[in-house]
Amino acid sequence: MRALIQRVTHAAVEVDGREIGGIGPGLLVLVCAMQGDDEAAAAKLAARVAKLRIFKDDADKMNRSVLDIAGEALVVSQFTLAADTRTGNRPGFSAAAPPEDGRRLYECFARDLSAQGVPVQTGEFGGDMKVSLLNDGPVTIWMDSADRA
């Protein structure tokens, strides 16, 4: 699975002009299930996100996790993280998991992150969402469950 993680002051997601999820300080996590991903990949990525130390400590160093600051997470499905832009001008998305697997693994990731102790809000899988955020820093981190044993 892939995730683009942004440290935020606040973030929200709307569908049809109605806010369906919103958080204060914490993480906006855009998530994409890839071909061949499974529940173990979702759990592994959720654990890494929960423990990712990208919040400042008293010495102004990035040493605190979302758990350490009692922050929240807004988890939004984002199949375009699977974009292949190596050829042509139109990205391809064939590396993304099929929609039924993508939905299952997105929901699994959100549950696993919540089980780590992070309060989680979500977007709407496959929905036409409008995401707003105030990136703090800015701090934006890319993670892929396949990058680490």
Side-chain angles (χ1 to χ4, degrees):
M1 291 188 75
R2 291 184 176 166
L4 185 71
I5 302 144
Q6 298 183 53
R7 185 178 78 187
V8 299
T9 302
H10 63 270
V13 61
E14 292 182 2
V15 173
D16 297 327
R18 181 178 59 84
E19 185 174 303
I20 63 167
I23 63 166
L27 302 173
L28 170 62
V29 186
L30 305 174
V31 178
C32 177
M34 305 294 290
Q35 291 277 345
D37 282 341
D38 58 13
E39 288 82 1
K44 179 171 132 181
L45 188 60
R48 290 182 63 206
V49 168
K51 295 174 186 140
L52 183 65
R53 298 184 312 168
I54 61 172
F55 293 90
K56 293 179 182 179
D57 64 13
D58 293 337
D60 216 25
K61 303 277 188 210
M62 288 198 303
N63 273 329
R64 300 178 79 202
S65 71
V66 67
L67 290 167
D68 296 330
I69 68 151
E72 305 171 277
L74 177 59
V75 177
V76 176
S77 62
Q78 183 75 52
F79 83 93
T80 60
L81 291 178
D84 181 353
T85 59
R86 292 177 291 182
T87 61
N89 295 315
R90 183 172 182 222
F93 302 104
S94 60
E100 59 278 2
D101 293 337
R103 176 187 300 274
R104 178 176 49 81
L105 293 170
Y106 162 72
E107 291 171 354
C108 185
F109 173 85
R111 277 192 313 273
D112 289 341
L113 187 57
S114 180
Q116 293 284 327
V118 180
V120 172
Q121 298 279 315
T122 60
E124 179 182 297
F125 185 89
D128 183 13
M129 296 176 281
K130 307 297 183 224
V131 179
S132 61
L133 68 134
L134 183 57
N135 192 315
D136 180 19
V139 175
T140 303
I141 306 289
W142 172 268
M143 276 191 173
D144 194 312
S145 61
D147 288 345
R148 189 169 162 186

